[in-house]
Each structure stands twice: as structure tokens, then as C-alpha cells.
Amino acid sequence: HHGVTIDANLGPSPFKAGIADDYFSTRWFITRYQELSGETVQDVKALSILFPTDKRVQALFLEFVKNLTEFLNGFVRRENPAVIVMGGNIAQCADLFLEDLEANLKVAGITTPILQAKLGEDAAILGAASLFNV
């Protein structure tokens, strides 16, 4: 906002029957896939490998997009951010959902750009280290 970048820290935000992290974390993907399939996977990367051939994984990502659309719709309308930067493990497989997410948001009248974080899990440690660069 106005030239200042902030971490919105949306994980603990209320959403549906819990908080955002309950619906957008690796834990959600693993738990939800097990509910849909009866099978266990280690992480989202494992799901991304199954994506091209497993209709349950495709349905899982569609559900994720639906939930994230709903969540971001409220956030964007409240905060009016200039851009949204998506990080964390899920950003590594943005190619599986980002296009659908942007299309859903556009239908809702939201055209805020969504960018994928380039530094991934290293961003936090690099940010912390930069505080000591005097």
C-alpha cells in the first residue's frame, strides 16, 4: 500500500469453520486427499506429480481454487492491495491452479495481479538476515 510492502499474515485469519491455514496449507491438501481417496501422500509435490492422471487430485485443486477465490475475494475487497505475492510450498505448483484462480477472481470483478514468490522458503531467512546489514 502506498509504496510499502507488508506481510498480510493471512494464515490465522478466520475462514469457514476455522482459519485460513486450515484450508490453504500442505496439511489441508494431505488430509483432504486422504478423505477423497483413502490414500496417503507425503506432500503437495507428490500430489502435483499425480495431477495429470488422478481425477481426485484435479478435483482437490479445483476445491482449493474455490476456497482461495472466496477467501481472496474478501481480503481484496477489504484491503485493496496493489498486488498479491503467493509464497510457501503451494506456490511451487502454481501452474496447477493459478490460471483458474485468476479466472475465478476476474468473474468476481477482481483483477489484482497475483505473483509467485521467487525465493520460496528462503525468503524469510534472507529477509531476517537483511535486518543485520548495517
Side-chain angles (χ1 to χ4, degrees):
H1 274 281
H2 310 291
V4 177
T5 301
I6 60 165
D7 178 354
N9 190 23
L10 300 177
S13 300
F15 184 66
K16 293 193 177 221
I19 60 172
D21 271 348
D22 294 339
Y23 295 87
F24 310 122
S25 64
T26 297
R27 181 181 71 251
W28 178 84
F29 276 93
I30 291 170
T31 301
R32 188 69 180 121
Y33 182 70
Q34 187 169 27
E35 291 171 357
L36 293 172
S37 69
E39 300 171 18
T40 303
V41 293
Q42 184 175 356
D43 52 26
V44 177
K45 183 177 180 179
L47 290 171
S48 70
I49 292 168
L50 296 172
F51 185 88
T53 58
D54 190 330
K55 298 229 182 281
R56 298 167 300 187
V57 176
Q58 295 166 11
L60 179 68
F61 273 89
L62 288 174
E63 183 178 349
F64 170 76
V65 165
K66 180 179 179 243
N67 288 334
L68 191 53
T69 299
E70 181 182 337
F71 182 78
L72 287 177
N73 187 7
F75 169 73
V76 170
R77 293 190 189 288
R78 278 188 315 277
E79 301 295 330
N80 194 28
V83 65
I84 296 169
V85 179
M86 186 170 296
N89 287 326
I90 191 60
Q92 296 173 14
C93 57
D95 58 316
L96 301 180
F97 69 87
L98 191 55
E99 188 176 310
D100 290 336
L101 176 62
E102 290 172 330
N104 284 2
L105 288 170
K106 188 174 183 179
V107 168
I110 294 173
T111 57
T112 304
I114 300 175
L115 304 176
Q116 181 180 355
K118 298 293 184 204
L119 297 176
E121 298 299 313
D122 293 335
I125 193 69
L126 289 171
S130 73
L131 294 174
F132 296 100
N133 187 9
V134 283

